[in-house]
Amino acid sequence: MRTRDEEKIDALKEEAITMIAKEGLNGFSIQKLAKAVGVSPATIYVYYQDKEDLIVSVGAEVTRDMLEHSLKNFTPEMSFGEGLKTQWKNRAQYFIDNPIKVEFVEQLRYSQLYNDVMKKVGGDFKVKMSQFVCGAIEKKEIIKLPFEVYWSVAFAPLYQLIRFHTQGKSYVNDKYELSTRQMTQTLELVLKALKP
Amino acid sequence: MRTRDEEKIDALKEEAITMIAKEGLNGFSIQKLAKAVGVSPATIYVYYQDKEDLIVSVGAEVTRDMLEHSLKNFTPEMSFGEGLKTQWKNRAQYFIDNPIKVEFVEQLRYSQLYNDVMKKVGGDFKVKMSQFVCGAIEKKEIIKLPFEVYWSVAFAPLYQLIRFHTQGKSYVNDKYELSTRQMTQTLELVLKALKP
DNA sequence: AATATAAATGAATGTTCATTTAGTTATCAA
DNA sequence: TTGATAACTAAATGAACATTCATTTATATT
């Protein structure tokens, strides 16, 4: 039996991520992907059921990787300040190391496939985060909040900063560079917002 | 000379907004749009140069409408708290009244066409916002911040709440309803973050 | 009523799309 | 060395796509 060329599968995934990050789900097609990797379009159907399956599978894989990194050195039992700071820094660092992967996931986040992606991700991420937030509320480290309110205040600013950077336009200058300084500033403000 | 059927142009815009809001830029095509409105595809090219021109033009129009509403009862000279509260409430109200238009603009925000849209929007919105933020810094109402940091903390949480709502999934329950209560809570946290 | 003219169209163009099929190739177990 | 088998492919399919073109239609002006 002929063996799978794992390198080609990796190249396929990598190229799909890049194409979607740079041109959106719009600019992505199986034929373009096959051509870019040097593979027959039919080969892609050996690995994935159809186009949607490919996007959702790769999306879930990258999301899982991102979430894993965001939980590095994190436990739900941490103090709220330390826990949030840890997660923030992990996410910021992941963006610095993998800007294309982050942009890829952002493209998915605003697509109709995102629910499918999250369903496929699985894992105990949600559970851990809920434990963390509920624990912090019990320990009176933060005010009682619906999870969505907490999440919106805690993490949306980071991803907006990333978006500004990706779009490369500042309201003030023409170029916008995302600095560690700005991330730190923003984190400080977020912490201030959530402390009782 | 035959006269333009303004009603059909409006129907065309409305349908384009709805299609893109519900199915993304992916699920949007000139032929589907024409069919949905009951018009020949060729007619669309009387009004718009091409597909991209249609999306960018309608996008700019809706964005302009949204920004105008967000500036209702607002002047850059207002106190920071009042000014931010006013804008927040305007934006929240606009979402309650026009959820589809907001989702349409969100789809554009994460697309490659967004820079073109913003270029076409024009207006003095950016100037007014800059005045407002700089004024607040001078009056020592808020700490000195890069515009992007300010913006990320001030408004990203609102749009994240909206996104949770649009995606209709909560991390805790299955259904997520965005309540005025949650918006008010979030606004309070944002104000707390930005006060010196 | 006749004319000019821009709006509107039906049908077609050539392209790109996702996916399938029939056949080829590489590798393992015998 | 020989089959068995799964990986892989070239080529094709039909559908959907953006856009164009030759015509027709409606209206404002004359």
Side-chain angles (χ1 to χ4, degrees):
Chain A
M1 156 178 101
R2 194 169 174 179
T3 48
R4 282 189 175 212
D5 188 341
E6 298 290 342
E7 270 182 35
K8 280 207 168 156
I9 305 181
D10 286 347
L12 222 48
K13 288 179 193 168
E14 210 59 50
E15 188 62 37
I17 292 167
T18 306
M19 279 176 70
I20 292 174
K22 298 217 162 151
E23 308 179 56
L25 285 172
N26 248 353
F28 176 71
S29 87
I30 296 287
Q31 315 215 57
K32 270 159 75 177
L33 174 62
K35 198 169 202 175
V37 178
V39 163
S40 162
T43 305
I44 295 173
Y45 288 85
V46 174
Y47 301 112
Y48 301 100
Q49 238 178 34
D50 52 31
K51 192 189 176 190
E52 190 176 308
D53 180 46
L54 183 152
I55 297 170
V56 171
S57 298
V58 177
E61 206 170 306
V62 176
T63 304
R64 227 176 276 128
D65 186 57
M66 229 173 87
L67 290 181
E68 257 165 44
H69 273 84
S70 82
L71 294 181
K72 210 174 140 191
N73 302 323
F74 172 88
T75 64
E77 291 78 24
M78 278 174 137
S79 86
F80 180 76
E82 275 312 303
L84 185 56
K85 218 179 273 184
T86 303
Q87 278 224 32
W88 241 82
K89 290 190 171 168
N90 285 339
R91 284 168 192 267
Q93 190 60 47
Y94 192 85
F95 169 68
I96 290 165
D97 296 337
N98 311 278
I100 291 172
K101 284 188 183 176
V102 172
E103 178 56 24
F104 165 68
V105 173
E106 287 294 288
Q107 290 288 326
L108 289 186
R109 274 225 300 156
Y110 283 79
S111 82
Q112 280 61 30
L113 281 63
Y114 193 61
N115 278 334
D116 294 321
V117 172
M118 288 315 286
K119 226 176 278 169
K120 201 157 194 169
V121 167
D124 55 354
F125 177 76
K126 292 177 204 168
V127 177
K128 274 190 184 170
M129 284 307 294
S130 266
Q131 277 177 4
F132 175 61
V133 178
C134 293
I137 292 170
E138 275 170 28
K139 286 184 274 178
K140 299 206 191 290
E141 289 177 318
I142 56 172
I143 348 148
K144 195 171 185 313
L145 289 174
F147 188 85
E148 287 78 13
V149 171
Y150 160 76
W151 186 273
S152 298
V153 173
F155 292 114
L158 173 60
Y159 287 96
Q160 178 61 55
L161 276 183
I162 289 174
R163 176 119 301 268
F164 274 129
H165 178 262
T166 305
Q167 239 141 231
K169 293 277 175 185
S170 157
Y171 277 78
V172 183
N173 316 307
D174 246 5
K175 199 80 185 171
Y176 174 70
E177 285 298 329
L178 179 50
S179 66
T180 315
R181 172 94 193 92
Q182 284 169 9
M183 292 207 224
T184 311
Q185 268 184 336
T186 308
L187 172 57
E188 275 165 22
L189 294 176
V190 166
L191 285 170
K192 193 165 128 197
L194 291 170
K195 268 186 191 142
Chain B
M1 157 178 102
R2 194 168 173 179
T3 49
R4 279 187 175 214
D5 188 340
E6 297 293 341
E7 270 182 35
K8 282 213 164 151
I9 305 181
D10 286 346
L12 222 48
K13 288 179 193 167
E14 210 60 48
E15 188 60 37
I17 292 166
T18 306
M19 279 176 71
I20 292 173
K22 300 217 160 152
E23 307 180 55
L25 285 173
N26 248 351
F28 176 70
S29 88
I30 296 287
Q31 315 213 64
K32 268 158 77 177
L33 174 62
K35 199 169 201 175
V37 178
V39 163
S40 163
T43 306
I44 294 174
Y45 288 85
V46 174
Y47 300 113
Y48 300 100
Q49 239 177 33
D50 51 31
K51 192 189 176 189
E52 189 175 309
D53 180 45
L54 183 152
I55 297 170
V56 172
S57 298
V58 177
E61 206 171 304
V62 175
T63 305
R64 228 174 277 128
D65 185 57
M66 231 172 86
L67 290 180
E68 258 166 43
H69 273 83
S70 81
L71 294 181
K72 210 173 139 191
N73 301 323
F74 172 88
T75 65
E77 292 79 24
M78 278 174 138
S79 85
F80 179 76
E82 275 312 302
L84 184 56
K85 217 178 276 185
T86 303
Q87 278 223 33
W88 241 82
K89 291 193 170 166
N90 285 339
R91 283 168 193 268
Q93 189 61 47
Y94 192 86
F95 169 67
I96 289 165
D97 297 337
N98 311 277
I100 292 172
K101 284 187 181 176
V102 173
E103 178 56 25
F104 165 69
V105 173
E106 287 295 289
Q107 289 289 326
L108 289 186
R109 273 223 303 155
Y110 283 80
S111 82
Q112 281 58 30
L113 280 61
Y114 193 62
N115 277 335
D116 295 321
V117 172
M118 288 314 287
K119 227 177 277 168
K120 201 158 193 170
V121 166
D124 56 355
F125 176 77
K126 292 176 206 171
V127 177
K128 274 190 184 170
M129 284 307 294
S130 266
Q131 277 178 5
F132 175 60
V133 178
C134 295
I137 292 170
E138 275 171 29
K139 285 183 275 178
K140 299 204 191 292
E141 289 177 317
I142 56 173
I143 349 148
K144 197 171 184 308
L145 289 173
F147 189 85
E148 287 78 13
V149 172
Y150 160 76
W151 185 273
S152 298
V153 174
F155 292 114
L158 172 60
Y159 287 98
Q160 179 60 56
L161 277 183
I162 289 173
R163 175 121 302 267
F164 275 129
H165 177 262
T166 305
Q167 240 142 230
K169 292 276 172 186
S170 157
Y171 277 78
V172 184
N173 313 308
D174 245 7
K175 198 81 187 171
Y176 174 70
E177 286 297 330
L178 178 50
S179 66
T180 315
R181 172 92 192 93
Q182 284 170 7
M183 293 208 222
T184 311
Q185 267 184 335
T186 309
L187 172 56
E188 274 163 23
L189 295 175
V190 166
L191 284 170
K192 192 165 127 197
L194 291 170
K195 268 185 192 148

